[in-house]
Amino acid sequence: MKNLVELIFPSRCIACSQLGISICSSCRKNWHPHIYHRELKVLGNRYPVISAIEYSPIASRVLLRSKEANQGAADQLLISAIAYSLRYFTKKYGTGDLVAIPSRKSATRKRGRDFMQEITKSVATLEKLNTLEILQHQRAVQDQSRLNSHQRTSNIAGALSTSIDFPSSAGQGNIGPLIIVDDLVTTGATLVEAIRALRTAGFMVIGAVTGAVANPYDKGVDFRKGT
Ligand SMILES: [Zn+2]
C-alpha cells in the first residue's frame, strides 16, 4: 500500500524537490540542529533566545513550505527544530507555558490556519507543555520579510497586545512563566515586541525559542543589542 501511495504521490525533498525522502541528505546538512544562543534586552531585563537551525536558502524553503504551502513534512521539520531549542531552553532556564507569535489576520485567512499557533500546539503536545493563545495584533503591520532592521522595529513596535491581563479572573492560578515561540528570529524586533506586550499586561516572560536564526552579523545587525 505504501509503495502504491509513493507511486501515485512520489515524495520529493521539500527543500530542493529531488525525488526521494522528505528532505534529502544534501539538504539535511543545512537543516541540522545545533544550539544558537542570543539575548534580547527589553524593559531593562535580558531574555535568552534559543534557536536550532542557522538560516540558509534551504532553511528558507523549508520554512516557506511549512508556512505558505502547509506541507506536513516541512511542519514536522520545524516542529522538531523548535522542540530541540525548547529542550535546551527548559534545561537551562526552567519550564513554562508556550505563547506563539500570532500571524497577521490577512496571512491567517490566506493560509487557512494561524501557522505558528498550530506549530506551537504540536510542539507543546510533544513536550507535554501548555500553550496560551493570548497574543494578538492590535493594529495592522506589514509583512516583515522585505523590511530592514530599523523598519522592522517601527513596523512592529506597539503592534501586539494580550487578550487578557495577568492576573486574570480566568484561571490565573494556572498561568506559569511564559516562553515565546516563533519560526525564525532575524533582528529580534518581533520577539522584543511580544515580550513588551506580555510584560506590560503583567505576565512573567523567561525567554524565547525559535526554529531558525538568521545570521545576526551578515547584514551588520548586532542582534544582541535588541532594542
Ligand atoms: Zn534536497
Side-chain angles (χ1 to χ4, degrees):
M1 185 60 194
K2 189 166 179 281
N3 288 341
L4 184 62
V5 171
E6 277 173 8
L7 202 65
I8 302 168
F9 304 106
S11 18
R12 286 173 181 276
C13 171
I14 49 183
C16 73
S17 299
Q18 185 186 295
L19 275 173
I21 51 172
S22 72
I23 186 161
C24 73
S25 51
S26 83
C27 291
R28 171 60 86 173
K29 286 186 194 124
N30 286 283
W31 188 277
H32 187 70
H34 293 277
I35 290 297
Y36 297 93
H37 188 167
R38 302 282 184 264
E39 205 174 61
L40 290 173
K41 211 172 145 194
V42 189
L43 303 172
N45 285 18
R46 290 177 183 281
Y47 297 89
V49 180
I50 303 298
S51 312
I53 304 288
E54 192 175 351
Y55 199 59
S56 66
I58 303 289
S60 158
R61 260 171 263 155
V62 172
L63 293 183
L64 268 177
R65 293 276 156 91
S66 172
K67 194 184 276 197
E68 308 297 350
N70 212 336
Q71 259 187 26
D75 279 4
Q76 286 314 313
L77 283 174
L78 177 58
I79 289 163
S80 48
I82 295 173
Y84 187 88
S85 307
L86 187 60
R87 266 171 241 142
Y88 178 87
F89 185 101
T90 53
K91 226 183 280 169
K92 197 153 181 198
Y93 304 105
T95 191
D97 295 331
L98 306 184
V99 178
I101 295 291
S103 298
R104 295 175 304 136
K105 286 196 186 89
S106 57
T108 301
R109 264 198 307 275
K110 205 177 100 199
R111 294 170 187 151
R113 62 170 180 169
D114 188 322
F115 164 65
M116 272 321 296
Q117 212 79 263
E118 210 174 288
I119 295 288
T120 302
K121 272 187 204 157
S122 301
V123 172
T125 306
L126 201 64
E127 300 300 308
K128 299 184 174 61
L129 295 175
N130 295 319
T131 54
L132 291 173
E133 295 185 28
I134 51 174
L135 274 180
Q136 59 192 13
H137 285 272
Q138 58 178 352
R139 64 166 171 78
V141 291
Q142 294 176 52
D143 179 3
Q144 301 263 84
S145 59
R146 281 180 199 86
L147 304 181
N148 68 30
S149 164
H150 184 74
Q151 291 167 326
R152 281 175 192 232
T153 301
S154 50
N155 182 44
I156 196 82
L160 297 177
S161 65
T162 59
S163 52
I164 52 169
D165 278 344
F166 182 86
S168 74
S169 49
Q172 52 177 290
N174 301 323
I175 299 178
L178 305 180
I179 303 167
I180 300 167
V181 183
D182 207 357
D183 58 336
L184 167 71
V185 58
T186 306
T187 63
T190 304
L191 293 177
V192 166
E193 170 57 15
I195 294 168
R196 185 208 60 77
L198 290 165
R199 289 244 342 248
T200 304
F203 293 95
M204 181 191 170
V205 181
I206 53 175
V209 294
T210 71
V213 55
N215 186 336
Y217 303 110
D218 64 0
K219 290 187 187 75
V221 177
D222 185 352
F223 184 90
R224 290 169 303 179
K225 279 180 187 156
T227 43

